């Protein structure tokens, strides 16, 4: 029999350590709210709304990956390719799919790792070089050699890079709430306030824990990004409906659905800074001034990297989620830019 005060034998010590760890995590779960992760088995009806277009898939020969996209408008019309941000998917372009299908073949893509698009398991498969090549390969697989390219947030980063690396494939570039990548990397190093706003880039470098935090309290963080006073769509914006929110929860609650999107960020520091910078096609930059993640000063600086017609429009009452926040104004600005550029070419 062990004497009082004697050290516990190794097995007992391990049990005590495990019990303490279990108690610690139980407290964490209690503090964060009920630890619930509901996997939605059936998509909300809005994701199959026929007015948004047709769900399609294309397999890329070189990578072997299958990409999901929603397409609206007749085949053969000029291509408008839409690249979403984080944490979003093709549905963030629902207002633009309906709007531009009259004159374009509009394709809203699920980026590599998102939604129904294949998600390679290793973070090395999400380097910017791979993401840029995806867009080039998808364009060719769709039977096009050029497009109007539109990107928001992280999709904006990819759109800038595609325009830089494959200028012959982009007739017009439209970016929403993301500066030229060189502006972003230079600005963040000189402005601590932007470094703080971009702190999630560093948080996402951790393995598994960011995904875990998103699942707490049935994806409370995800909901808050779109609805909270600090980061969400403002009171003058077009707020997401309960069904819109459920669409996001359906996609990101699927097992493993967050790892691919977060892996996009886990390789960024190995790919920047850029070697090439100039953008040579007509460019429209749209910006919501109430963006909680990107400082508006970067928008104006972007002008120096565009060696063609450059139009910047800043919407004072709009948030980071601009094309969902102010869809009517955004669509009107895009139409004006597209028709203005067509007229400019004729002259």
């Amino acid at each position: 029999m062990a004497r009082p005060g004697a050290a516990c034998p190794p097995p007992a010590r391990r049990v005590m350590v495990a019990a303490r760890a279990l108690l610690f995590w139980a407290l964490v779960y209690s503090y964060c709210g009920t630890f619930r992760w509901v996997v939605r088995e059936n998509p909300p009806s809005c994701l199959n709304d026929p007015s948004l277009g047709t769900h399609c898939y294309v397999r890329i020969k070189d990578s072997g990956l299958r990409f999901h996209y929603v397409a609206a408008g007749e085949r053969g019309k000029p291509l408008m390719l839409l690249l979403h941000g984080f944490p979003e998917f093709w549905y963030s372009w629902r207002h633009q799919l309906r709007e531009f299908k009259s004159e374009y073949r509009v394709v809203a893509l699920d980026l590599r790792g998102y939604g129904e698009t294949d998600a390679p398991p290793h973070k090395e498969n999400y380097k910017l070089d791979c993401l840029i090549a995806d867009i080039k390969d998808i364009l060719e697989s769709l039977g096009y050699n050029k497009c109007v390219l539109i990107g928001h947030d992280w999709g904006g980063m990819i759109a800038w890079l595609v325009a830089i690396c494959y200028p012959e494939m982009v007739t017009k570039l439209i970016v929403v709430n993301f500066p030229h990548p060189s502006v972003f990397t230079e600005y963040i190093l000189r402005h601590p306030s932007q470094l703080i706003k971009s702190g999630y880039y560093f948080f996402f470098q951790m393995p598994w824990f960011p995904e875990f935090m998103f699942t707490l309290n049935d994806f409370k963080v995800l909901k808050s990004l779109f609805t909270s006073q600090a980061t969400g769509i403002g009171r003058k914006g077009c707020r997401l409906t309960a069904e819109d929110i459920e669409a996001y929860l359906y996609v990101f609650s699927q097992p493993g659905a967050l790892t691919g999107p977060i892996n996009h960020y886990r390789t960024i520091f190995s790919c920047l800074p850029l070697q090439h910078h100039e953008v040579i096609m007509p460019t429209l930059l749209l910006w919501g001034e109430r963006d909680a993640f990107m400082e508006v000063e970067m928008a104006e600086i972007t002008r120096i990297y565009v060696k063609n017609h450059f139009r910047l429009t800043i919407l004072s009452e709009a948030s980071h989620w601009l094309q969902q926040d102010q869809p009517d104004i955004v669509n009107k600005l895009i139409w004006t830019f597209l028709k203005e550029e067509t007229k400019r070419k004729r002259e």
Side-chain angles (χ1 to χ4, degrees):
M1 180 181 294
R3 299 189 308 275
C8 295
R13 188 180 298 115
R14 286 197 293 269
V15 170
M16 289 179 65
V17 170
R20 288 171 182 164
L22 184 62
L23 177 61
F24 169 77
W25 284 111
L27 291 172
V28 170
Y29 298 157
S30 299
Y31 177 77
C32 295
T34 306
F35 182 62
R36 293 182 295 121
W37 175 4
V38 179
V39 177
R40 277 81 177 167
E41 295 185 0
N42 300 308
S45 59
C46 62
L47 292 183
N48 292 310
D49 183 346
S51 72
L52 296 178
T54 305
H55 290 262
C56 306
Y57 301 86
V58 61
R59 188 170 297 279
I60 305 302
K61 290 182 180 179
D62 289 344
S63 66
L65 298 180
R66 190 185 76 155
F67 283 78
H68 168 254
Y69 63 91
V70 172
E74 296 176 12
R75 296 178 185 272
K77 289 184 175 179
L79 178 65
M80 176 182 285
L81 185 59
L82 308 174
L83 311 180
H84 63 79
F86 174 88
E88 298 175 287
F89 63 113
W90 71 266
Y91 188 69
S92 69
W93 297 109
R94 59 196 176 280
H95 302 292
Q96 289 68 45
L97 281 162
R98 291 191 183 102
E99 178 70 21
F100 296 101
K101 65 183 179 182
S102 60
E103 294 189 22
Y104 289 89
R105 174 69 168 173
V106 188
V107 170
L109 186 69
D110 274 343
L111 295 175
R112 177 183 291 225
Y114 281 84
E116 294 184 58
T117 291
D118 286 347
H122 304 296
K123 67 179 185 180
E124 290 76 16
N125 296 124
Y126 295 86
K127 289 184 177 181
L128 288 173
D129 288 348
C130 298
L131 307 180
I132 297 166
D134 284 345
I135 307 307
K136 175 180 177 293
D137 293 341
I138 286 166
L139 199 68
E140 293 173 348
S141 297
L142 294 175
Y144 288 85
N145 56 23
K146 57 185 177 180
C147 69
V148 173
L149 185 60
I150 306 181
H152 168 247
D153 182 70
W154 186 260
M157 161 83 88
I158 298 172
W160 282 114
L161 296 174
V162 171
I164 292 168
C165 297
Y166 299 106
E168 71 281 1
M169 303 188 81
V170 182
T171 57
K172 299 175 185 70
L173 175 66
I174 301 170
V175 179
V176 183
N177 279 76
F178 202 94
H180 186 287
S182 293
V183 172
F184 180 64
T185 54
E186 292 165 6
Y187 187 91
I188 198 172
L189 294 174
R190 298 175 183 174
H191 297 81
S193 56
Q194 181 58 55
L195 188 64
I196 292 170
K197 289 181 179 180
S198 300
Y200 62 95
Y201 278 58
F202 302 94
F203 175 63
F204 285 168
Q205 304 309 308
M206 300 173 63
W208 72 264
F209 192 64
E211 290 95 320
F212 167 77
M213 292 302 294
F214 267 96
T215 65
L216 289 175
N217 203 14
D218 196 26
F219 297 87
K220 184 177 181 179
V221 171
L222 181 65
K223 292 179 239 182
S224 294
L225 284 173
F226 296 107
T227 61
S228 72
Q229 187 174 356
T231 63
I233 294 173
R235 58 186 176 84
K236 293 187 178 182
C238 184
R239 292 178 180 274
L240 272 62
T241 66
E243 192 175 33
D244 293 335
I245 295 293
E246 193 59 30
Y248 280 92
L249 295 178
Y250 168 76
V251 167
F252 289 106
S253 68
Q254 303 307 312
L258 282 160
T259 299
I262 293 176
N263 275 342
H264 281 244
Y265 292 87
R266 288 179 170 137
T267 63
I268 188 171
F269 296 113
S270 65
C271 304
L272 297 175
L274 303 176
Q275 292 182 342
H276 306 290
H277 306 277
E278 291 187 353
V279 174
I280 63 171
M281 68 287 301
T283 301
L284 171 65
L285 178 58
L286 301 176
W287 204 282
E289 193 172 23
R290 291 185 60 256
D291 192 326
F293 309 102
M294 294 282 175
E295 295 187 353
V296 69
E297 289 77 10
M298 291 187 286
E300 183 60 41
I301 303 172
T302 290
R303 185 183 302 273
I304 66 175
Y305 289 100
V306 180
K307 307 305 177 183
N308 202 313
H309 175 61
F310 176 76
R311 179 178 290 276
L312 167 64
T313 301
I314 299 171
L315 302 182
S316 60
E317 294 296 328
S319 70
H320 177 75
W321 320 104
L322 186 56
Q323 79 273 23
Q324 301 184 78
D325 184 327
Q326 304 283 348
D328 292 342
I329 297 175
V330 166
N331 291 347
K332 184 177 179 180
L333 290 168
I334 292 175
W335 274 127
T336 299
F337 173 73
L338 294 174
K339 293 181 182 300
E340 175 184 73
E341 281 306 308
T342 302
K343 183 179 179 182
R344 192 188 302 272
K345 275 189 173 182
R346 288 172 181 169
E347 292 175 350

